[in-house]
Amino acid sequence: MTPPSRQALVPFVSVDHMMQLVHHVGIEPLLIELADAIEADFRRWPDFDKTPRVASHSDIGVIELMPTSDGQHYGFKYVNGHPGNMRQGLQTVTAFGVLADVATGYPLLLSEMTILTALRTAATSAMAARWLAPRDSRVMAMIGNGAQAEFQALAFKAICGVEEVRLYDIDPAATAKCAANLAGRGLRVVPCASAEDAILGAQIVTTCTADKQYATILSDNMVGAGVHLNAVGGDCPGKTELHRDILLRAGIFVEYPPQTRIEGEIQQLDPDHPVTELWQVIAGRVPGRTGADQVTLFDSVGFAIEDFSALRHIHKRLQGTGLFLDLDMIADPDDPRDLFGMLCRAAPRQDAA
């Protein structure tokens, strides 16, 4: 039987490959590259097919598909969110993704996206802050010190120039883990005993908690004038982190309103409450921060275009590295009409009697 052609083989980036690629490039340079790739795709936002992610919710979590296409490439991510998994020693969020060629429908890349989602989420957060945070912000509070915290901290360091990160988590072990992981990476790391302590002197406040509930991680009196809020953890129906009164006095910036109104902090507000789409700021169509005293909120829930950008960038970054495994995923008969014949020719040979 003729061996599979190059088109029949799909590069697969395993978790091990992704970790090697991050170390090959460097985590901060890769975060900068991802932020730039995502920003470039936000500038051409109208080119993309857009739909709220297809979600299957249960009482204990959610499984989602996140598809998009720019007419040349198609990408999707499969991702779950199960806060209770940690009690079983499992990840709260796992993911994988596919990038495909629109012209043929053939997949171009299959990749792990548990690590890549953390990278692209952090890159998106810092990219948004580049447009919305107070100029020369140097101190960030990080409330919620779980699996994404270090990625967020390093992205804000590399992309926004943050120098100090103030850490708080209801679980002191999470804060200790985060502080240890960030040691020696060029940040002043300050573990804090409360959220109130963590936000002291912070121009940027990132909330990134995991519990699937209406929570008040920040109350209205905790947020002073001029602060930029990066709300990462409120990302599904019934899950929020900020008191409603904060939203009512903030300039709110979102990825895709039909999805964010279902899943983001703004699910607490009226369906017609005004919000600004971040892509319009980046494209120069509307202003971002309008004054030094303005409270800005990036109501981040994660959108498919960010995953698309990340997959395309990783696909390009793989060239010449060998950090992938070719998978024989696509049937490749000698004659495209003879799929059955290919199956028959693969039958085990019978030994002569």
Side-chain angles (χ1 to χ4, degrees):
M1 187 174 69
T2 305
S5 71
R6 178 64 251 176
Q7 275 194 305
L9 299 174
V10 179
F12 167 59
V13 179
S14 68
V15 172
D16 183 58
H17 288 135
M18 186 64 72
M19 292 190 294
Q20 290 185 57
L21 183 64
V22 172
H23 289 295
H24 172 73
V25 178
I27 187 165
E28 291 188 26
L30 185 56
L31 285 165
I32 292 170
E33 291 175 7
L34 286 170
D36 290 344
I38 293 165
E39 185 172 296
D41 281 340
F42 270 52
R43 290 183 190 277
R44 62 188 191 104
W45 192 265
D47 294 347
F48 287 89
D49 292 336
K50 293 173 285 291
T51 185
R53 52 186 156 209
V54 181
S56 177
H57 292 280
S58 67
D59 291 339
I60 58 173
V62 63
I63 295 174
E64 300 167 332
L65 289 177
M66 300 173 64
T68 192
S69 172
D70 67 351
Q72 294 184 320
H73 294 97
Y74 170 89
F76 78 85
K77 182 173 76 176
Y78 167 102
V79 60
N80 77 298
H82 286 69
N85 274 4
M86 192 171 62
R87 291 190 292 272
Q88 305 175 57
L90 302 175
Q91 288 283 295
T92 297
V93 175
T94 66
F96 68 88
V98 171
L99 183 70
D101 175 31
V102 168
T104 63
Y106 273 43
L108 301 171
L109 178 71
L110 171 64
S111 178
E112 84 78 37
M113 288 196 75
T114 307
I115 294 170
L116 187 54
T117 292
L119 290 164
R120 77 85 163 128
T121 302
T124 302
S125 292
M127 182 271 292
R130 191 157 57 184
W131 291 90
L132 302 175
R135 186 167 296 181
D136 298 325
S137 296
R138 294 294 176 261
V139 180
M140 180 173 77
M142 186 78 223
I143 302 176
N145 302 157
Q148 294 202 43
E150 297 91 340
F151 296 91
Q152 292 279 329
L154 292 174
F156 276 85
K157 171 182 178 286
I159 295 162
C160 301
V162 162
E163 298 171 352
E164 177 176 307
V165 179
R166 301 176 63 82
L167 304 176
Y168 172 70
D169 195 290
I170 58 173
D171 180 2
T175 299
K177 175 270 306 180
C178 187
N181 285 340
L182 291 175
R185 292 188 175 272
L187 284 165
R188 289 193 302 275
V189 180
V190 183
C192 299
S194 67
E196 289 82 359
D197 185 20
I199 66 175
L200 290 176
Q203 298 95 25
I204 299 170
V205 178
T206 291
T207 57
C208 190
T209 61
D211 283 347
K212 188 179 180 183
Q213 62 179 332
Y214 291 113
T216 303
I217 306 303
L218 294 180
S219 56
D220 187 38
N221 64 348
M222 294 170 67
V223 179
V227 169
H228 173 63
L229 301 171
N230 176 42
V232 179
D235 56 3
C236 69
K239 183 171 183 275
T240 60
E241 297 180 315
L242 308 183
H243 192 283
R244 183 175 185 272
D245 289 348
I246 298 173
L247 309 183
L248 295 176
R249 62 186 178 92
I252 302 173
F253 299 83
V254 304
E255 292 139 315
Y256 184 58
Q259 179 174 298
T260 311
R261 292 192 189 278
I262 296 170
E263 301 179 349
E265 297 297 327
I266 59 173
Q267 65 186 279
Q268 304 178 68
L269 303 179
D270 294 335
D272 59 352
H273 188 90
V275 298
T276 301
E277 294 183 54
L278 181 61
W279 77 269
Q280 294 183 313
V281 176
I282 294 170
R285 300 191 181 192
V286 298
R289 172 174 287 272
T290 56
D293 291 338
Q294 184 187 24
V295 174
T296 53
L297 165 62
F298 178 41
D299 191 359
S300 168
V301 297
F303 191 61
I305 292 173
E306 298 152 19
D307 298 312
F308 176 95
S309 305
L311 284 167
R312 277 209 317 155
H313 187 70
I314 292 301
H315 184 245
K316 179 176 67 175
R317 257 307 193 171
L318 287 179
Q319 307 308 314
T321 67
L323 296 176
F324 59 89
L325 175 69
D326 280 329
L327 296 184
D328 184 8
M329 282 183 58
I330 306 300
D332 189 35
D334 301 333
D335 178 346
R337 300 164 298 180
D338 194 19
L339 187 63
F340 186 78
M342 184 184 75
L343 173 63
C344 291
R345 288 188 290 276
R349 293 185 178 181
Q350 298 297 322
D351 293 334

